[in-house]
Amino acid sequence: MARAEHTLPDVPLSRPVLDRRAELRTDPGLLPRLLADPATRVLRLVGDLAEVTEADARPRLALSPPVPEDGDLLAVYLGELDGRHHVASLRDASDEGSAGEGPVLALDPAWRTLRQVGAHLDDVDASLFATALALGNWHRTHGHCPRCGTATEPALAGWIRRCPADGSEHYPRTDVAVIVAVVDARDRLLLARGRGFRSGGMSVLAGFLEPGETLAAAVVREVGEEVGVTVEDVTYLADQPWPFPSSLMVGFRARAVGTDLRLQEDEIASAQWFTRDELARGVASGEVVLPGRVSIARRLVEHWYGGAIDAPDNAGLR
């Protein structure tokens, strides 16, 4: 695997700017103390929604001082910036106490998902939202000990869950996936439509890393499995946290040895090689719907294309 001379710049969600201050997490009084301090800034999530405001023609997270209710919810310490501490207050939209608040907020233009606003947030807000969402997704789905089934409890300021029965500790899960722009000898780009994509939705190929596998090997295997194409010259371009629910997307470019396509029917609905003119025409006509601008998939397509593609900012293909 090679590294490109110039990696992808400005990949959304990928620029950490907060000092996570991991050494503070061992203090059991950290969260109670911060939630009693009006200088603390709190990011409140209801399911996957956060409140945003418009400032200088761009969205900003509506961070605010703590309120008493925050102490009754799951809280996670996110870190420090310019001497100010940040905490996420997490509420499951399906909780009885929410009274269906999540679906109601989804209709409120002030509440948005990371898919909708992530590409337009500044580095601080994007990092806060991505981190809080990933941790919230993990807490929501890992509430019981995998060893004995006992309900676990959050610890280390929300960064682990501990089993009170056997004392085991369980850490946030991150699933590594490769995503690759495959280009042939004619400099055409391969795009595919996965089963379950919206009509017209197409993207570059992606798949999860398997145990005992290198990243480059995963690229070769996934492309071979999904479209029957052998690739070489696998080159790293960029990576991106992708908390939907808990992935790290590692982006590559690879060169196709051949162009004949043999689709994995249970995964891929269709696939096609595109010249730049063909892709531009397909996007303009609506026949091709590209991934949203928040995704590294869109950046990989535009890196091959040579610049931004004038297309609707779709929040996702599914």
Side-chain angles (χ1 to χ4, degrees), residues 89-284:
S89 176
L90 309 176
R91 170 180 286 171
D92 191 336
S94 63
D95 285 348
E96 183 178 350
S98 300
E101 188 174 6
V104 173
L105 293 181
L107 302 176
D108 186 337
W111 288 79
R112 289 289 179 262
T113 67
L114 184 60
R115 287 183 186 271
Q116 292 170 321
V117 299
H120 311 290
L121 296 173
D122 65 19
D123 292 350
V124 174
D125 284 357
S127 179
L128 287 170
F129 203 161
T131 302
L133 181 59
L135 286 168
N137 289 337
W138 173 70
H139 279 289
R140 189 177 302 118
T141 56
H142 290 76
H144 291 82
C145 177
R147 296 181 178 183
C148 67
T150 301
T152 54
E153 300 170 348
L156 288 186
W159 284 86
I160 70 168
R161 296 189 71 89
R162 185 175 288 128
C163 177
D166 61 24
S168 59
E169 295 182 347
H170 308 281
Y171 292 80
R173 172 173 175 168
T174 298
D175 300 309
V176 178
V178 296
I179 183 165
V180 54
V182 178
V183 179
D184 72 1
R186 295 169 52 191
D187 201 25
R188 296 183 301 173
L189 179 69
L190 179 61
L191 296 180
R193 178 177 299 117
R195 298 289 179 186
F197 278 20
R198 69 172 62 173
S199 177
M202 301 197 82
S203 184
V204 291
L205 298 174
F208 287 106
L209 184 74
E210 293 188 345
E213 190 173 46
T214 67
L215 293 168
V219 168
V220 174
R221 175 184 55 78
E222 282 290 344
V223 176
E225 288 177 353
E226 293 190 347
V227 295
V229 171
T230 298
V231 296
E232 57 187 13
D233 295 339
V234 177
T235 303
Y236 168 83
L237 291 177
D239 52 72
Q240 178 192 45
W242 191 245
F244 307 106
S246 56
S247 295
L248 174 69
M249 306 299 295
V250 187
F252 297 90
R253 181 180 63 235
R255 183 170 61 85
V257 174
T259 58
D260 291 340
L261 302 177
R262 185 179 66 256
L263 306 187
Q264 187 178 21
E265 294 184 359
D266 60 340
E267 292 281 344
I268 304 298
S270 64
Q272 182 179 340
W273 295 99
F274 287 91
T275 66
R276 290 170 179 78
D277 287 343
E278 289 169 344
L279 182 60
R281 288 196 298 269
V283 169

Side-chain angles (χ1 to χ4, degrees), residues 19 22 24 35 38 65 86 94 113 118 195 217-218 224-225 238 259 277 282 285 301 309:
D19 184 348
L24 300 180
L35 291 177
H86 292 71
S94 63
T113 67
R195 298 289 179 186
E225 288 177 353
T259 58
D277 287 343
S285 69
V301 172
I309 299 174

